[in-house]
Amino acid sequence: MERPRHQGMAKNTYMRWRLPLVCLLWEVAMIILFGVFVRFSPEADAHWKEEKREMNLTSDIENDFYFRYPSFQDVHVMIFVGFGFLMTFLKRYGFGAVGFNFLLAAFGIQWALLMQGWFHSFKSGKILIGVENLINADFCVGSVCIAFGAILGKSSPIQLLIMTLFQVTLFAVNEYILLNLLHVKDAGGSMTIHTFGAYFGLTVTRILYRPNLEQSKDKQGSVYHSDLFAMIGTLYLWMYWPSFNSAISEHGDAQHRAAINTYCSLAACVLTTVAFSSMLQKKGKLDMVHIQNATLAGGVAVGTSAEMMLTPYGSLIVGFICGIVSTVGYVYFTPFLESRLHIQDTCGIHNLHAIPGLIGGIVGAITAAAATEDVYGKEGLIKAFDFTGAYQTRTPSVQGGFQAAGIVVSLLMALAGGALVGAILKLPVWGDAAAENCFEDDIYWEVPEDEESDVYHMHNPDKPASP
Amino acid sequence: MERPRHQGMAKNTYMRWRLPLVCLLWEVAMIILFGVFVRFSPEADAHWKEEKREMNLTSDIENDFYFRYPSFQDVHVMIFVGFGFLMTFLKRYGFGAVGFNFLLAAFGIQWALLMQGWFHSFKSGKILIGVENLINADFCVGSVCIAFGAILGKSSPIQLLIMTLFQVTLFAVNEYILLNLLHVKDAGGSMTIHTFGAYFGLTVTRILYRPNLEQSKDKQGSVYHSDLFAMIGTLYLWMYWPSFNSAISEHGDAQHRAAINTYCSLAACVLTTVAFSSMLQKKGKLDMVHIQNATLAGGVAVGTSAEMMLTPYGSLIVGFICGIVSTVGYVYFTPFLESRLHIQDTCGIHNLHAIPGLIGGIVGAITAAAATEDVYGKEGLIKAFDFTGAYQTRTPSVQGGFQAAGIVVSLLMALAGGALVGAILKLPVWGDAAAENCFEDDIYWEVPEDEESDVYHMHNPDKPASP
Amino acid sequence: MERPRHQGMAKNTYMRWRLPLVCLLWEVAMIILFGVFVRFSPEADAHWKEEKREMNLTSDIENDFYFRYPSFQDVHVMIFVGFGFLMTFLKRYGFGAVGFNFLLAAFGIQWALLMQGWFHSFKSGKILIGVENLINADFCVGSVCIAFGAILGKSSPIQLLIMTLFQVTLFAVNEYILLNLLHVKDAGGSMTIHTFGAYFGLTVTRILYRPNLEQSKDKQGSVYHSDLFAMIGTLYLWMYWPSFNSAISEHGDAQHRAAINTYCSLAACVLTTVAFSSMLQKKGKLDMVHIQNATLAGGVAVGTSAEMMLTPYGSLIVGFICGIVSTVGYVYFTPFLESRLHIQDTCGIHNLHAIPGLIGGIVGAITAAAATEDVYGKEGLIKAFDFTGAYQTRTPSVQGGFQAAGIVVSLLMALAGGALVGAILKLPVWGDAAAENCFEDDIYWEVPEDEESDVYHMHNPDKPASP
């Protein structure tokens, strides 16, 4: 029976007062802060008819809503169904995977609207939000979902909410440094979302190292149908990644190009993942862990450069490399990280987000540095890298340098932030389970006692024969 | 074995001639009525090039298709996957949940195109349909899916088709009264869809009260994977609800605003649902029933007001309250309704749709009554509430009164209509199952005999050890 | 135990070197060919700002991306989740269904971008790709997914990759003959995708006939939850089919109309499928095989005519007929094909794609032949059938004749191509499994040994009683 052995429980996982308190206090705080700060952007405000006249817009279709809403919905699916179901692969942690992801993301998007709003959409004392803010909030939370992948099955919902609070805050600071101070391009978030989120999560899980985790080894695997549930998550991430990388790009060709580059990179990634999954296994069989995860690395790795003139050909190369690197990571690096560096990475985010995120940052820096007026056109180059205002004298090669700096900043912020937050989460008051009860929904969820009835029916001698 | 005990069957559930007859007759009727009445709207007609010239439209993108089609597809997913899978939580009623929902919705949208068409799109003897009609037909069927939730597992497919026929008809009448006679705003359908659908369904299930339903108590629960299937439904409803509430709003800022308000309300709702789910349970564990359902109440409750200037802050408050009310409902009201009022509400639609629907109507009335030119702008106020033509002298406070009247009308229509339809469905000729066979797919579906083979393999002593 | 009986294995299914080699070689070939040939279309290129000025476009929203991207994403979901999950109905072939579909589609879209690009988007030595090319590549791969349905469970991943290579090539040739030489309309691909894909797949499976396939009969069925997974595929195909049939239609009314016609046809199809599923079964129970498949036939059968003035009424009739034909096909034709013609059609693509595809071609030919200026308007008729340039004197009735010719060409190409590819796949070097190991993931996948642990828990006498 997969119920916690209560006699052995050293830890108090009783959530009844702590979890409600955290949820209610934080939601009340959100309401107060939204009340003080958050209003509609002009395009979502009832005064828009006047605004439209002032801006000489002739049609309602010029509202940013119509440029971005379909992509927003795809991103929304990636965060809640994509990440949520990707993590249901564990045999007895499906509720926690999809349910806790739901909880932390629902809280995180509210806090992200505020944090990112203060940095980017703050006018006359108010944060003005529109569809682009919703997308950015989802993006920010994406980095938390990534970090959740490292500590999946080992943390309490309170720990997740605390991690979300801090990580969203640090994400917004890091994003501000990259986008505003370094004037870096990162539309699909290879640096801000993946590199930051993954190294943050890896640092947290390192600090929360559990030496006796092998006590729950039997629950760290999948069952047949849990692997199929996880494939729902995989496929929605894979299919909608072109929307993810293009969602906040400039209107027009940049969005168009970002979608195409991502489509190509992901397609190539599937083939090398399959090749190496089979090659690295003695029996030559495919491993669902690789198919579920490494196939997505190609999307991560064109996050920075997708809106640039990476070209379909360049995208295929990036996807090709990342399928290999990520699959090799699952086979060799993950066990190494656990045994030598004491980094217990439940979902292998090191292979899916950390390394491909770094690659994505580097590809972005190179693609930016290699940009020419010939390839982009004079106006196109200015538009693509926003070489206007204070940045009108910046050259592509300098931009490449700043892009590279963005990788380093993201990495350092992740390590420092993860160390801080890991230390906070290590306090023995947040209700995480003992090692022997990890990866088990029964600790925090009412779990249906389904097996008994099935067994009853299976062995019922009165069962009529099949027709 | 979960096969019906035939010896005990008092009822004839044999569908072979009745169900095909109903399906074929009704579909033939649809064909004849569509042939007589239904044509393409100008924007979907091959003459559109001329129409475009007459209306001085310079671009094909001005076609309503591009304003609404992405939202339509999201709504379509909510009706078929959202409602369908939400109801798969029962351990042995997954086929019925998703399959009967499919059947009734496929029939219902056709009949809704006609009924709503006669009321709203009837010109020169023809119903002219475009993408907005498809959305409205899906909306109308949404109210039937809600009512289905109350009688899930207890009714035959014929009963569901009959209920659909009547409910769609009454929905269209009620919608006409609200939108055209009372000139009420209800873009997301708190009143027309949720209040009407839920009280209709609750009245039907009251009339169909089954005193011996505890005979199938063992099948009213979930199993581990059925709860995960249900989460697919939950998440698609939750993620796409911003599209639902904005799908038929005015082009431009109203659609934009409706999406933002709904996004905010739903996010807040998740946190209070989690808080109260844990708080109301002695062991402090989370209950999947709450996570699957109460998290959605925030979407229901901003259905009327989402396109108004509810503000993100107001939306959070509505979501906050509804998460609490709905979760408390599942814990205390549902058992009370069953034991005292003899209302057997399989999915708890009282908590997810009825109460939040009423709250949504009230919030809408208050938000309308509180509208000012300051907040909306002079033109914005007229546009938001369509204070034109016969209604150009209506003030916000009067509008608020009419909104409130809309709630009452919806409620009365639901109760009267539900009573009528319940009485019809009680006739002993529709093939519903005996109490002991409720919540069991095997009555109406060929169910694979899957357990045997599994058991065989499980106990096979020749099985090699895991590698 | 469902593990292959190794002692009985006559065939070498060891993939370790062959599969990686094929994947890597082909992906390298893709990279080289993309490098030589593929560039961005003007609308996805950084020079677009200049292009826009030249074309007098006033808004970024005129970029084709905004007309087609939402439909593209829906089509993308249909190919990867729709087809992938539809085929998970087999009890022990879920990994293969969704995983191999993923693999072949990811390879196929790359090769299709090239093949279709050479025929349709080749300018000054380069293939210029935009969102419409992505949709067409997905469409092309759709025909391979269909063919995969016929040989599901019986072929190795290498065979699937080889079939994809050839089928995509032949698809592009056939499509070129139809669209460019015969100047035929086929926006939703009744002929090019469904007729071609299905008869291709049926011919391949005929040539690969396995006389001893009854040895794996016990694995050809479904289990309860595999049928629910398959319903995910069904519903996404069903819901998004309006996007499929409208995705590459002309901007404006044609896209709008195609979506409406498809919506109507599919709705009618559900009712006749349910009617005949119940009617053709002695006990009158519904069969999930029919609900999962025949409900989709209505989408296939309006593939050619959806963008024409088929009218909602005409669409209902087409859907009505196809629900019947397809369900009857599952009950009577599929067993007949297997026993008499030795065509082993795992998913019954003959009933879902072949026959409805033919019907769709015929409906398209009739609808085209019946087109009049009265119905389409003078300009509308020219636009709908592209009666311009070399075709400006073509009349609707002549168009109808060419449409009919398109059916015949597709059929012949499918039979000839399928015979050729079948012969290649019959070579004993591709690693397909022996008959007794068909429909079993364990041959090519690492499968979790999930049953043991469950059984352990089920029978654990120490299990505490349910609370």
Side-chain angles (χ1 to χ4, degrees), chain B residues 218-409:
Chain B
D218 60 315
K219 281 174 273 174
Q220 282 195 61
S222 60
V223 290
Y224 194 67
H225 280 173
S226 75
D227 269 327
L228 280 177
F229 279 115
M231 278 305 287
I232 296 173
T234 298
L235 287 175
Y236 275 99
L237 288 168
W238 193 91
M239 296 180 303
Y240 285 164
W241 215 296
S243 298
F244 192 93
N245 285 348
S246 67
I248 58 162
S249 289
E250 292 277 327
H251 293 173
D253 58 287
Q255 277 198 285
H256 202 151
R257 190 162 57 242
I260 297 171
N261 279 328
T262 310
Y263 178 96
C264 290
S265 177
L266 286 164
C269 193
V270 174
L271 271 89
T272 50
T273 297
V274 168
F276 274 73
S277 181
S278 171
M279 202 191 291
L280 298 178
Q281 217 260 359
K282 263 190 211 156
K283 297 191 213 144
K285 294 184 183 181
L286 298 171
D287 188 328
M288 271 308 235
V289 172
H290 308 155
I291 308 302
Q292 282 158 9
N293 292 281
T295 51
L296 301 168
V300 173
V302 295
T304 302
S305 55
E307 59 173 2
M308 302 178 192
M309 288 293 283
L310 178 61
T311 75
Y313 154 70
S315 304
L316 291 189
I317 295 176
V318 174
F320 187 96
I321 292 169
C322 285
I324 296 171
V325 169
S326 187
T327 308
V328 169
Y330 276 98
V331 177
Y332 298 115
F333 294 173
T334 301
F336 172 85
L337 287 179
E338 175 150 6
S339 62
R340 298 299 170 88
L341 303 184
H342 289 178
I343 295 173
Q344 294 157 326
D345 178 7
T346 311
C347 294
I349 63 165
H350 183 258
N351 316 303
L352 173 48
H353 298 282
I355 298 294
L358 287 178
I359 293 175
I362 294 165
V363 170
I366 294 170
T367 312
T372 63
E373 281 196 8
D374 188 44
V375 171
Y376 287 76
K378 195 176 159 65
E379 289 174 284
L381 189 64
I382 292 167
K383 194 183 165 206
F385 296 98
D386 200 17
F387 286 156
T388 55
Y391 304 98
Q392 66 184 0
T393 59
R394 191 181 274 190
T395 61
S397 57
V398 172
Q399 178 70 22
F402 278 97
Q403 296 280 145
I407 306 171
V408 178
V409 171

Side-chain angles (χ1 to χ4, degrees), chain A residues 105-317:
Chain A
F107 165 64
I109 54 179
Q110 298 176 62
W111 180 230
L113 281 175
L114 287 164
M115 280 304 303
Q116 295 179 313
W118 282 315
F119 279 122
H120 300 289
S121 312
F122 200 58
K123 281 184 192 163
S124 327
K126 299 293 174 195
I127 295 167
L128 303 182
I129 65 171
V131 65
E132 195 170 339
N133 299 71
L134 306 190
I135 297 170
N136 276 316
D138 273 22
F139 276 7
C140 177
V141 159
S143 85
V144 187
C145 300
I146 292 166
F148 178 33
I151 57 172
L152 182 74
K154 300 175 293 184
S155 43
S156 77
I158 295 175
Q159 285 179 308
L160 295 174
L161 286 171
I162 290 170
M163 185 176 82
T164 305
L165 180 73
F166 283 99
Q167 194 179 347
V168 166
T169 309
L170 292 164
F171 177 98
V173 171
N174 183 54
E175 187 187 42
Y176 178 75
I177 296 172
L178 265 69
L179 302 190
N180 295 51
L181 304 186
L182 301 178
H183 196 68
V184 148
K185 301 299 277 184
D186 194 22
S190 294
M191 294 178 282
T192 54
I193 302 169
H194 299 287
T195 301
F196 174 78
Y199 284 102
F200 187 98
L202 292 168
T203 312
V204 168
T205 198
R206 172 64 191 82
I207 290 176
L208 299 180
Y209 176 63
R210 289 165 175 276
N212 302 316
L213 202 58
E214 77 287 348
Q215 293 181 8
S216 51
K217 206 78 191 172
D218 60 315
K219 281 174 273 174
Q220 283 195 60
S222 61
V223 290
Y224 194 67
H225 281 172
S226 75
D227 269 327
L228 280 177
F229 279 115
M231 277 305 286
I232 297 173
T234 297
L235 286 174
Y236 274 99
L237 289 169
W238 193 91
M239 296 180 305
Y240 286 164
W241 215 295
S243 299
F244 192 93
N245 284 348
S246 66
I248 57 162
S249 290
E250 292 277 326
H251 293 173
D253 57 288
Q255 277 197 286
H256 202 151
R257 189 161 59 243
I260 296 172
N261 279 328
T262 311
Y263 177 96
C264 289
S265 177
L266 286 163
C269 194
V270 174
L271 271 88
T272 50
T273 298
V274 168
F276 274 73
S277 182
S278 171
M279 202 191 292
L280 298 179
Q281 217 260 359
K282 264 189 209 155
K283 296 191 212 144
K285 294 183 183 181
L286 298 171
D287 188 329
M288 271 308 235
V289 172
H290 309 154
I291 308 302
Q292 283 160 8
N293 292 281
T295 51
L296 300 168
V300 173
V302 294
T304 302
S305 55
E307 60 174 1
M308 301 178 193
M309 289 292 284
L310 178 61
T311 74
Y313 154 71
S315 304
L316 291 189
I317 294 176

Side-chain angles (χ1 to χ4, degrees), chain A residues 14-17 19-20 23-24 27-28 30-31 34-35 38-41 43-50 53 59-61 63-66 69-70 72-73 76-77 80-81 85 88 91-95 98 100 102-103 106-107 109-110 113 129-131 134 137-138 223 225-226 229 232 236 240 283 441-448 450 453-454 456-460 463-464 466-467, chain B residues 1-3 61-62 66-67 70-71 74 91 218 222-225 227-229 231-232 234-236 238-243 246 250-253 255-257 259-261 263-264 266-268 270-272 274-276 278-288 291 295 308-313 316-317 320 324 373-380 383 446 449 451-452 455 458-459 467:
Chain A
Y14 190 64
M15 289 284 116
R16 193 172 181 189
W17 303 113
L19 179 60
C23 287
L24 293 176
E27 193 53 49
V28 168
M30 290 300 110
I31 290 174
F34 269 59
V38 180
R39 298 295 178 270
F40 293 118
S41 80
E43 296 190 294
D45 192 283
H47 288 86
W48 193 56
K49 210 170 171 182
E50 297 157 34
R53 203 161 38 226
S59 167
D60 285 320
I61 198 95
N63 195 304
D64 197 36
F65 182 78
Y66 302 104
Y69 189 73
F72 158 66
Q73 275 296 1
H76 217 38
V77 171
F80 290 88
V81 161
F85 272 89
T88 57
K91 67 177 78 165
R92 293 295 292 181
Y93 208 70
F95 293 5
V98 80
F100 291 156
F102 193 16
L103 171 64
F107 165 64
I109 54 179
Q110 298 176 62
L113 281 175
I129 65 171
V131 65
L134 306 190
D138 273 22
V223 290
H225 281 172
S226 75
F229 279 115
I232 297 173
Y236 274 99
Y240 286 164
K283 296 191 212 144
D441 272 333
D442 196 38
I443 304 295
Y444 303 116
W445 296 84
E446 285 291 304
V447 175
D450 50 275
S453 60
D454 281 0
Y456 170 73
H457 296 304
M458 286 175 196
H459 295 255
N460 185 343
K463 182 179 183 172
S466 300
Chain B
M1 238 294 299
E2 308 203 50
R3 173 170 284 261
I61 198 95
E62 296 287 337
Y66 301 105
F67 286 90
S71 309
D74 295 349
K91 68 177 78 166
D218 60 315
S222 60
V223 290
Y224 194 67
H225 280 173
D227 269 327
L228 280 177
F229 279 115
M231 278 305 287
I232 296 173
T234 298
L235 287 175
Y236 275 99
W238 193 91
M239 296 180 303
Y240 285 164
W241 215 296
S243 298
S246 67
E250 292 277 327
H251 293 173
D253 58 287
Q255 277 198 285
H256 202 151
R257 190 162 57 242
I260 297 171
N261 279 328
Y263 178 96
C264 290
L266 286 164
V270 174
L271 271 89
T272 50
V274 168
F276 274 73
S278 171
M279 202 191 291
L280 298 178
Q281 217 260 359
K282 263 190 211 156
K283 297 191 213 144
K285 294 184 183 181
L286 298 171
D287 188 328
M288 271 308 235
I291 308 302
T295 51
M308 302 178 192
M309 288 293 283
L310 178 61
T311 75
Y313 154 70
L316 291 189
I317 295 176
F320 187 96
I324 296 171
E373 281 196 8
D374 188 44
V375 171
Y376 287 76
K378 195 176 159 65
E379 289 174 284
K383 194 183 165 206
E446 284 291 306
E449 298 283 344
E451 296 90 352
E452 277 187 309
V455 167
M458 286 175 196
H459 294 256

Side-chain angles (χ1 to χ4, degrees), chain A residues 313, chain C residues 31-40 114 118 121-123 125-129:
Chain A
Y313 154 71
Chain C
I31 290 175
I32 293 169
L33 289 168
F34 269 59
V36 175
F37 289 109
V38 181
R39 297 295 179 271
F40 293 117
L114 287 164
W118 282 315
S121 312
F122 200 59
K123 280 183 193 165
K126 299 293 174 197
I127 295 166
L128 303 182
I129 65 171

Side-chain angles (χ1 to χ4, degrees), chain A residues 322-343:
Chain A
C322 285
I324 296 171
V325 169
S326 187
T327 308
V328 169
Y330 275 98
V331 177
Y332 298 115
F333 295 172
T334 300
F336 172 84
L337 287 180
E338 175 151 6
S339 62
R340 299 299 171 89
L341 303 184
H342 289 180
I343 295 173

